[in-house]
Amino acid sequence: MKKSLLNMEQLLSAVKGRALNNKKDCYFEKVATDSREVVENTLFVPLIGENQNGHKYIPQAIEKKASVVFINNDEYAVNKTCYDKLAEENAGIAFICVENTLHALQDAAEAYVASFPNLIKISITGSSGKTTTKELVVSVLREYFGEENIAYTKGNFNSETGLPLSVFQIKGNEKAGIFEMGMNRVNEIGEISKVLKSQYGIITNIGTAHIGLLGSRKNIAEEKRKSFDYIPADGAVFVPADDPYADYCVERVCGKVVKYGKNIPASVSGVEFLEDKGLLGCVFSYENQIINFPLIGEYNYQNALAVIALARELKIPAACVKAGLEKMKVVSGRMDSKKISLKSGKKIMLISDCYNANPDSMGKVIDFCGKLSEKSRKIFVLGDMKELGSDSKSAHEQIAEKIISSEAEFVYLVGEEMKNCYKKLVSENFTGRAFYFADNSDENFEDIAEKINEVSEEGALILLKGSHSMALEKIENLLAGGSL
């Protein structure tokens, strides 16, 4: 049998827990917060949310052969008889009472990560670009350390629960771990930063994503900089030189501070920009290596510069940097460009960026499309940007200004918040070319697809951009004559 991720002594010490049935040891190979993900030898952590109490799924976890189960102390106090009976009937399972199951998950993950002192730990956060930057780092470090020697966040498991679950994926043979940090509330990054205690940290930018939750960009910066709280003196942090909050983010840093960006001279960064190839990416040199970078947009070049700065600090050879960056593929839902045939038979270029949207990312993609002078006609389908709070009205109005300067010919705006953008366009005499749809219903999507087929020319550019909940990616299939 393989070694347990943590033994009983380690686990109880980490979570300050109490074994309900006095088991002397435990064994688990996996950790899950969803009973549907439980398999044999899993630690099941039932979480309590606003609308759900995971403790009710403990019987299902037991049925699926969970080997360890956490129980909230308050939950146990209310249902003591029930849990005592469960423990008696399932003597082979370790039931552990803890003060708070979420914090216990984080504390157990923290203890697990600490058992790999030689692992190079890298954290990545930011208002936008963090997933792409993570994938770029992974691609480069694979070239140097090898495919099997890298641990990293899969998908978007970057939250208060996602990061702990991600670090439990570490097998122990890896040379480096690259973990993304996201947030949806105050101090979420502080909590997961304590779990990881990274040696190297990247902040991609301080934008306006989640400003509705935190109130200001400075408050967002305050949260993001918590990812640097445990950087040691021999570690380093990487911040964008042109971000107005860069200096604020590094005020408390003990390690080395490295600024990256297009305005950092080649004598410092080793990078020289050579050519913008539009929808084919860009070309730049790094320490005499010519790199054909496939991701489009200036912001993706900025992400590459962050990765190069990290690689330089880790003394990764330039040849590995080149190979890793050139092998990078588009992250699903983010600036995916492709040629497709419309139902009308005309061939167009489609850019789909529907994973998420905030004023920074939407403004950047519209600016990028505006610079593509070779496209005969530009058509945008834009959906609501979520979680902007009181700033939502002005943020959507500002998108109208971006649209006007981009020379878009037709714009289809979807969602309640996008009505503010539409009104602004109308006030600026952008008439006859802007169309508003109150929601993202199937009927509205079908109408938009029909209109685009009617007005598109051969070689047109169509952009789909909106928050994930707007589901604008559905329109792609409709454009080609498919169904929802």
Side-chain angles (χ1 to χ4, degrees):
M1 181 180 285
K2 294 188 298 183
K3 183 180 176 183
S4 179
L5 295 181
L6 293 170
N7 62 35
M8 181 67 91
E9 182 181 359
Q10 292 168 327
L11 186 58
L12 291 178
S13 175
V15 305
K16 298 178 178 60
R18 175 177 65 89
L20 186 58
N21 47 1
N22 296 315
K23 276 184 67 64
K24 301 301 181 185
D25 209 351
C26 66
Y27 179 85
F28 63 100
E29 300 173 348
K30 180 185 175 183
V31 182
T33 59
D34 186 333
S35 62
R36 293 169 295 185
E37 301 296 322
V38 171
V39 295
E40 188 175 5
N41 295 321
T42 295
L43 161 59
F44 176 58
V45 183
L47 300 175
I48 299 176
E50 290 183 12
N51 303 309
Q52 190 72 276
N53 185 341
H55 288 79
K56 72 178 183 180
Y57 298 105
I58 288 177
Q60 287 92 318
I62 293 172
E63 188 177 338
K64 291 189 171 186
K65 299 185 178 180
S67 56
V68 186
V69 175
F70 284 169
I71 302 170
N72 246 0
N73 284 337
D74 289 347
E75 177 75 17
Y76 175 74
V78 172
N79 299 289
K80 182 178 184 300
T81 303
C82 172
Y83 288 116
D84 284 343
K85 184 179 179 182
L86 270 181
E88 183 181 345
E89 293 175 347
N90 298 276
I93 300 174
F95 293 88
I96 298 176
C97 290
V98 297
E99 186 65 29
N100 179 296
T101 51
L102 170 61
H103 294 159
L105 169 65
Q106 295 170 346
D107 292 340
E110 179 184 351
Y112 183 68
V113 175
S115 67
F116 305 106
N118 296 321
L119 182 72
I120 299 170
K121 294 174 292 185
I122 300 161
S123 64
I124 300 170
T125 192
S127 295
S128 60
K130 53 186 174 289
T131 300
T132 298
T133 302
K134 175 204 67 183
E135 294 295 333
L136 287 169
V137 173
V138 169
S139 188
V140 168
L141 266 58
R142 274 176 175 163
E143 294 297 318
Y144 184 61
F145 290 117
E147 177 80 26
E148 298 300 316
N149 293 321
I150 302 296
Y152 61 97
T153 302
K154 305 297 195 298
N156 64 339
F157 270 58
N158 60 15
S159 66
E160 60 187 2
T161 57
L163 183 131
L165 292 174
S166 290
V167 302
F168 274 118
Q169 300 297 316
I170 298 170
K171 297 181 179 66
N173 61 301
E174 298 92 342
K175 303 294 184 184
I178 305 99
F179 297 98
E180 188 178 326
M181 293 184 177
M183 67 172 184
N184 284 297
R185 61 172 174 81
V186 171
N187 202 41
E188 185 168 5
I189 286 182
E191 291 177 11
I192 58 181
S193 182
K194 180 177 178 288
V195 171
L196 185 61
K197 293 185 174 67
S198 57
Q199 297 148 283
Y200 301 91
I202 295 173
I203 289 180
T204 58
N205 52 46
I206 302 298
T208 51
H210 305 305
I211 200 165
L213 297 171
L214 296 170
S216 70
R217 286 182 70 188
K218 186 172 182 180
N219 289 344
I220 292 169
E222 175 62 34
E223 294 303 314
K224 297 295 184 184
R225 73 175 184 171
K226 291 177 182 177
S227 65
F228 294 163
D229 281 354
Y230 296 90
I231 301 292
D234 60 352
V237 302
F238 306 85
V239 292
D242 58 356
D243 194 293
Y245 290 93
D247 290 336
Y248 180 72
C249 286
V250 301
E251 281 180 352
R252 305 190 300 239
V253 169
C254 294
K256 183 177 180 180
V257 174
V258 179
K259 292 185 177 181
Y260 64 87
K262 62 182 181 179
N263 294 322
I264 300 294
S267 59
V268 175
S269 67
V271 181
E272 184 176 355
F273 188 83
L274 299 176
E275 182 185 1
D276 183 348
K277 299 180 73 175
L279 289 169
L280 298 177
C282 65
V283 183
F284 55 88
S285 68
Y286 172 56
E287 293 185 353
N288 299 317
Q289 296 276 346
I290 302 300
I291 298 174
N292 289 282
F293 186 54
L295 301 190
I296 64 178
E298 187 177 298
Y299 41 93
N300 276 323
Y301 174 56
Q302 173 87 342
N303 294 336
L305 292 176
V307 176
I308 291 171
L310 170 66
R312 196 175 180 85
E313 192 65 28
L314 294 175
K315 297 180 171 52
I316 307 285
C320 292
V321 174
K322 170 182 168 67
L325 293 182
E326 290 187 340
K327 285 181 180 178
M328 181 65 184
K329 292 182 171 57
V330 173
V331 179
S332 177
R334 296 169 171 87
M335 286 299 284
D336 185 8
S337 62
K338 65 185 80 171
K339 288 183 179 179
I340 68 167
S341 294
L342 298 177
K343 184 173 70 172
S344 64
K346 293 170 184 172
K347 291 181 172 57
I348 58 93
M349 178 61 70
L350 176 73
I351 296 179
S352 180
D353 193 357
C354 303
Y355 182 80
N356 211 343
N358 57 60
D360 305 296
S361 63
M362 186 168 285
K364 286 172 181 175
V365 72
I366 292 173
D367 286 345
F368 171 77
C369 292
K371 294 175 182 176
L372 294 173
S373 57
E374 70 272 18
K375 294 303 170 186
S376 60
R377 176 166 283 181
K378 297 170 187 174
I379 301 170
F380 299 164
V381 183
L382 307 177
D384 281 351
M385 301 178 289
K386 302 295 188 178
E387 297 181 349
L388 298 180
S390 60
D391 288 339
S392 184
K393 182 176 184 293
S394 61
H396 284 83
E397 288 174 344
Q398 287 167 20
I399 293 301
E401 297 169 7
K402 292 281 187 182
I403 292 169
I404 293 168
S405 62
S406 73
E407 299 180 352
E409 195 146 357
F410 295 100
V411 181
Y412 302 89
L413 304 167
V414 184
E416 185 178 346
E417 299 299 329
M418 272 296 168
K419 189 170 187 178
N420 296 302
C421 180
Y422 176 72
K423 288 180 178 178
K424 181 69 173 177
L425 287 174
V426 171
S427 72
E428 296 289 339
N429 295 318
F430 197 89
T431 53
R433 296 184 288 155
F435 304 88
Y436 174 67
F437 299 82
D439 57 51
N440 59 344
S441 66
D442 290 354
E443 182 181 359
N444 282 340
F445 280 176
E446 289 167 355
D447 192 8
I448 290 169
E450 284 297 324
K451 284 179 164 57
I452 290 175
N453 265 279
E454 291 170 7
V455 301
S456 287
E457 298 175 343
E458 187 80 16
L461 173 73
I462 297 174
L463 167 67
L464 306 178
K465 175 67 176 176
S467 285
H468 187 62
S469 61
M470 299 305 294
L472 295 186
E473 66 276 4
K474 291 181 179 180
I475 294 174
E476 179 179 341
N477 194 45
L478 295 171
L479 290 171
S483 58
L484 291 170

